[in-house]
Amino acid sequence: MAALTGIADRDSEAMRRLYEATASELYAICFAVVRNREATEDVLQEVYTKVWNRAAGYDPEKGSPMVWLSFIARNSAIDRVRARGRRPTVNDYPLVLVADEAALTDERLIREEEAENLRREIDALSDPEQSYIRSAYLRGLTYSQVADEAGVPLGTVKTRIRRGLMALRAQVTRD
């Protein structure tokens, strides 16, 4: 994404474009973990501050810009929840469904198609890998929570998620 190069050069217009293109997706990722509207907005601000400060360190060899941004968002949200020491009980889930009117229809269709392709690729993984990746990245659980829920050692969860992500990456780069 050219915006990351601009951000690395401290171009505020590039930051604005990146925000407009990614804010709704990153908000949904953060909200899935934090589950509180106000706290999610704070986390999202932290995410874009981190992006501003770390854009020069983005390595396209390690994944797409959206994957990089998603990891920053997810990890920031998990850090927020850990700092509070508990999962919040307030559920603002319907707010995630509010559409961002700034996104164009064709961009939405492309994102939906990419998301569907990724779902199919995840479905093709073996059951433990598929289940653990869904729990960690779609439900927002930490690896420790996934291990507790599955009743397996933490190292097993980490290994299976890593294998699954490597398989996904290999498949996505082939396509």
Side-chain angles (χ1 to χ4, degrees):
M1 189 177 278
L4 288 176
T5 305
I7 293 168
D9 294 334
R10 298 299 196 219
D11 179 0
S12 59
E13 179 61 24
M15 185 65 163
R16 184 191 63 75
R17 286 192 312 271
L18 180 76
Y19 179 85
E20 288 176 354
T22 62
S24 61
E25 289 89 355
L26 297 182
Y27 180 92
I29 290 167
C30 293
F31 187 82
V33 176
V34 177
R35 300 211 180 272
N36 176 283
R37 185 179 51 81
E38 292 85 12
T40 299
E41 290 170 358
D42 291 342
V43 171
L44 193 61
Q45 182 176 353
E46 292 171 17
V47 168
Y48 285 106
T49 300
K50 288 176 183 178
V51 169
W52 179 259
N53 292 325
R54 299 178 186 172
Y58 166 69
D59 182 1
E61 294 293 317
K62 294 183 179 176
S64 72
M66 194 60 198
V67 168
W68 184 71
L69 294 168
S70 297
F71 278 125
I72 292 173
R74 179 181 175 273
N75 291 340
S76 296
I78 289 171
D79 289 346
R80 172 61 62 99
V81 171
R82 285 180 180 160
R84 285 194 299 200
R86 61 177 177 78
R87 275 189 120 21
T89 57
V90 176
N91 188 353
D92 293 336
Y93 181 74
L95 295 176
V96 174
L97 303 177
V98 175
D100 178 10
E101 297 303 321
L104 300 174
T105 303
D106 57 339
E107 292 172 347
R108 284 186 189 166
L109 290 173
I110 290 169
R111 282 194 299 255
E112 288 172 10
E113 183 177 329
E114 289 172 346
E116 182 57 35
N117 289 340
L118 184 57
R119 273 188 220 98
R120 278 195 298 273
E121 297 302 331
I122 291 172
D123 289 343
L125 295 173
S126 70
D127 184 46
E129 292 170 355
Q130 178 185 139
S131 172
Y132 297 165
I133 288 172
R134 287 183 195 281
S135 294
Y137 291 96
L138 300 178
R139 293 178 47 213
L141 299 180
T142 64
Y143 287 5
S144 295
Q145 290 170 327
V146 173
D148 290 343
E149 189 176 85
V152 297
L154 177 59
T156 301
V157 168
K158 288 181 178 181
T159 299
R160 289 183 176 162
I161 288 177
R162 179 169 164 69
R163 272 194 228 145
L165 292 175
M166 288 172 43
L168 285 175
R169 182 176 183 198
Q171 184 60 34
V172 169
T173 55
R174 273 194 299 262
D175 294 343

